[in-house]
Amino acid sequence: MSENPENAANSENPPNPDSRKPESSESAEGSKSSEGAAKAAPTTSGTRREDAPAPAAEPSGRRRLVSALWPLRVTRAQLIVALLLFVLGLGLAIQVSSTSDNSALRGARQEDLVRILDELDDRTQRLEDEKARLEKQRTELESSSDQAEEARKQTQEKEQQLGILAGTVAAEGPGITLTVGDPTGAVESDMLLDAIQELRAAGAEAIQVNGVRVVADSYFTGSGNDMRIDGTKVAAPYVFKVIGKPEDLEPALNIPGGVVQTLEKEQATATVERSAKIVVDALRPAKRPDYAQSSSQ
């Protein structure tokens, strides 16, 4: 009975199981290690994520500000200080508003302000000169050998001065002429009175308006075609003859918001002319007081 050569060959050379085992064992071990590594990696990472504590969220700046301000923790002293500061601020605001809105020289030019300051300096100088003159008279009376004669002389001079102020004596000297035209009849008595007051404040010593002597107790009434000074009717144009220092009188009328600007707003005209000689010859009757009398002995 003959055997198959292939079977014989196979019987003669049986497969060696040991020769295949290393390959399978190595491959198995490699696959196991790779699978173990694959399984170990997610297990490790998952353990870290689960075990690590979550970081606390830091509060934002707005939350810190709100937590610091609310709930309010205000003491009594803080409330009192806040109330005082509010009252002080309100008072300052009211004062600034009232002074800034009513300032007549707010929009004045630098030249006008300088002129006003010069006018104030001139008034101060006039007062100083008057003081020096009176002190000189007192010294002369005290040191004069003939005090009676000196007193009589000074009395006459004083009488002339008082007569000029009272309007009972004519006067002449340097000054200005103010002419006010009123084509529309808009000029009222208070406007002319304002002009008189400005002139007196600037050092006017004698004033005459349309032939009427203006003194301390003069009054103005009416307007337009019925303007009166001390009851005497006067008509436009109104001519003021004023004796005084021209360098002081004219700027006093031309200051911002002064007499000239006020008259021009009412469609009136106002012109000022300086003169080296102004004659004020309108007189007022001397009046004796009914009740007042000198208290000197």
Side-chain angles (χ1 to χ4, degrees):
M1 190 171 166
S2 62
E3 296 178 357
N4 192 354
E6 292 180 0
N7 294 334
N10 291 335
S11 62
E12 289 178 357
N13 298 316
N16 190 1
D18 296 335
S19 63
R20 294 180 180 177
K21 282 183 180 179
E23 288 184 271
S24 61
S25 63
E26 287 178 2
S27 60
E29 290 176 0
S31 62
K32 288 180 180 180
S33 62
S34 60
E35 291 176 0
K39 292 180 180 180
T43 304
T44 306
S45 61
T47 304
R48 287 180 183 176
R49 288 172 184 168
E50 292 176 0
D51 297 342
E58 295 184 0
S60 63
R62 181 179 297 178
R63 285 187 177 182
R64 290 198 300 269
L65 179 61
V66 171
S67 62
L69 296 178
W70 188 265
L72 296 176
R73 293 182 292 273
V74 182
T75 63
R76 182 178 180 182
Q78 292 175 341
L79 287 175
I80 294 175
V81 171
L83 180 60
L84 292 176
L85 291 176
F86 173 76
V87 173
L88 178 61
L90 181 62
L92 290 176
I94 294 174
Q95 183 178 5
V96 171
S97 177
S98 60
T99 55
S100 61
D101 293 342
N102 298 328
S103 178
L105 302 178
R106 183 180 181 85
R109 298 176 301 174
Q110 183 177 3
E111 299 83 13
D112 296 329
L113 295 175
V114 172
R115 186 170 55 189
I116 293 172
L117 290 176
D118 292 339
E119 180 183 347
L120 293 176
D121 293 338
D122 292 338
R123 293 181 186 178
T124 304
Q125 186 62 41
R126 288 197 301 270
L127 293 175
E128 293 291 339
D129 294 341
E130 180 68 15
K131 177 183 176 183
R133 186 181 63 81
L134 293 175
E135 290 178 349
K136 181 180 178 181
Q137 290 181 357
R138 185 187 65 180
T139 303
E140 291 175 352
L141 286 173
E142 293 176 350
S143 60
S144 177
S145 58
D146 190 357
Q147 295 185 359
E149 181 62 25
E150 187 66 27
R152 186 184 64 81
K153 179 180 177 181
Q154 292 188 9
T155 300
Q156 290 178 349
E157 294 177 357
K158 194 67 174 179
E159 181 181 2
Q160 292 291 327
Q161 295 174 2
L162 294 176
I164 293 174
L165 297 177
T168 58
V169 177
E172 65 179 28
I176 64 169
T177 300
L178 169 64
T179 303
V180 178
D182 186 20
T184 62
V187 176
E188 298 184 359
S189 57
D190 59 341
M191 300 178 186
L192 300 183
L193 182 59
D194 289 341
I196 295 296
Q197 292 176 343
E198 288 291 344
L199 291 169
R200 284 175 175 166
E205 297 176 352
I207 303 175
Q208 175 179 315
V209 181
N210 287 25
V212 180
R213 187 71 169 267
V214 178
V215 293
D217 59 352
S218 294
Y219 59 92
F220 292 72
T221 58
S223 62
N225 296 326
D226 191 27
M227 185 76 68
R228 296 177 181 272
I229 304 177
D230 295 337
T232 302
K233 187 174 181 179
V234 294
Y238 308 105
V239 180
F240 292 67
K241 293 184 178 181
V242 187
I243 296 177
K245 188 176 180 181
E247 292 79 5
D248 296 337
L249 298 175
E250 183 179 3
L253 299 175
N254 291 315
I255 61 174
V259 174
V260 174
Q261 287 189 2
T262 302
L263 291 172
E264 289 176 351
K265 287 181 181 179
E266 299 297 333
Q267 305 302 320
T269 60
T271 58
V272 181
E273 296 180 1
R274 298 186 183 185
S275 179
K277 182 180 180 180
I278 297 292
V279 177
V280 176
D281 52 5
L283 303 180
R284 294 175 64 92
K287 294 182 179 180
R288 293 182 60 87
D290 295 330
Y291 306 100
Q293 57 184 355
S294 176
S295 60
S296 60
Q297 300 296 331

